[in-house]
Amino acid sequence: MSAPVRVVVVDDQALVRGAFHLLVDSAPDLEVVGEGENGAEAVALVRELEPDVVLMDIRMPVMDGLEATSAIAGLGVGTRVLVLTTFDLDDYVFGALRAGASGFLLKDTPPAQLLDGIRVVSQGESLLAPSVTRQLIAEFVRRQASPGVARWEAMGSLDGLTEREKEVLVLVARGLSNQEIGQQLFVTPATAKTHVSRLLMKLGARDRTQLVVLAYESGLVEPHGA
């Protein structure tokens, strides 16, 4: 039996934090190894414990979830950040996406879906299929992407991709899983996974979320086309 996924729960509200702790610990394959009430504690816990996943609130005192997510991504320990949001389409959420969050879930997400989300991001995947994330990304690009130069610089980074890899990148940006990509391109899920792995390597992306951001910022995928 494999070791349980190690989780840190970070929220400034003790009742919310406690509820998530109990929920995560109720799953035999998940284990809460630490709790924090602000972003600074989240970073300290990740540095000390190197958990697999951090459940991260956005608005917190001392250090918010945006700054904490960026700091955690910079530690290089492989910990994934799953942002819990009330779906306020604000700069905090978009900033967390750029900072390296591996996905977003609403705080009122059904318990089973939340637990599945933790499992997904712990395996190096990103929560990109739900429409909420596609909307966040599209709005993020409309608000954050710089015109002109920034877009052309991003396009330049796609020059080394094959046409098939660009096809795969478009499908990743639209939230398709490896199995769905395989169905679209008439290849096996394993082959689709290999294409995604090559994209991550060629583009220097940490995970699928960063691939999606690059696909939008480069203009390869337009927000309204997602």
Side-chain angles (χ1 to χ4, degrees):
M1 181 177 177
S2 59
V5 175
R6 302 167 69 250
V7 180
V8 163
V9 179
V10 184
D11 196 295
D12 62 327
Q13 298 182 49
L15 285 175
V16 174
R17 200 166 62 242
F20 282 131
H21 189 147
L22 288 172
L23 173 62
V24 173
D25 271 351
S26 72
D29 59 333
L30 306 176
E31 175 188 15
V32 175
V33 295
E35 285 188 22
E37 62 180 34
N38 58 60
E41 291 186 7
V43 176
L45 285 165
V46 170
R47 187 179 285 117
E48 175 189 354
L49 302 172
E50 297 190 14
D52 300 302
V53 177
V54 175
L55 285 181
M56 182 81 75
D57 189 22
I58 286 288
R59 292 188 179 90
M60 296 180 291
V62 183
M63 179 190 289
D64 62 33
L66 165 58
E67 190 176 348
T69 297
S70 180
I72 288 169
L75 291 176
V77 297
T79 297
R80 306 287 176 172
V81 176
L82 180 54
V83 171
L84 298 172
T85 176
T86 53
F87 197 39
D88 292 325
L89 287 176
D90 57 23
D91 292 337
Y92 278 103
V93 176
F94 307 130
L97 180 64
R98 181 180 288 281
S102 291
F104 297 88
L105 284 177
L106 299 179
K107 281 193 172 181
D108 61 358
T109 294
Q113 188 177 335
L114 173 62
L115 297 177
D116 282 342
I118 294 171
R119 296 181 183 106
V120 167
V121 297
S122 74
Q123 295 165 3
E125 298 288 333
S126 298
L127 290 179
L128 299 178
S131 61
V132 57
T133 308
R134 289 201 295 272
Q135 292 171 21
L136 284 171
I137 293 168
E139 184 68 14
F140 161 75
V141 172
R142 279 195 288 269
R143 292 191 185 194
Q144 299 292 334
S146 300
V149 175
R151 169 160 289 199
W152 283 112
E153 286 176 351
M155 277 300 289
S157 66
L158 303 186
D159 288 346
L161 301 183
T162 65
E163 288 305 311
R164 174 48 61 96
E165 285 166 346
K166 289 179 182 177
E167 284 182 87
V168 173
L169 182 56
V170 168
L171 297 177
V172 169
R174 288 176 177 161
L176 273 64
S177 66
N178 289 338
Q179 183 171 350
E180 291 167 334
I181 291 172
Q183 291 170 349
Q184 287 278 331
L185 300 180
F186 302 103
V187 298
T188 66
T191 299
K193 183 177 181 179
T194 298
H195 283 309
V196 173
S197 297
R198 286 177 182 161
L199 284 171
L200 290 169
M201 182 178 64
K202 282 188 173 184
L203 298 176
R206 197 169 69 93
D207 56 24
R208 293 170 83 107
T209 301
Q210 292 189 344
L211 288 181
V212 172
V213 172
L214 180 57
Y216 277 98
E217 290 190 330
S218 68
L220 186 65
V221 175
E222 296 293 334
H224 294 297

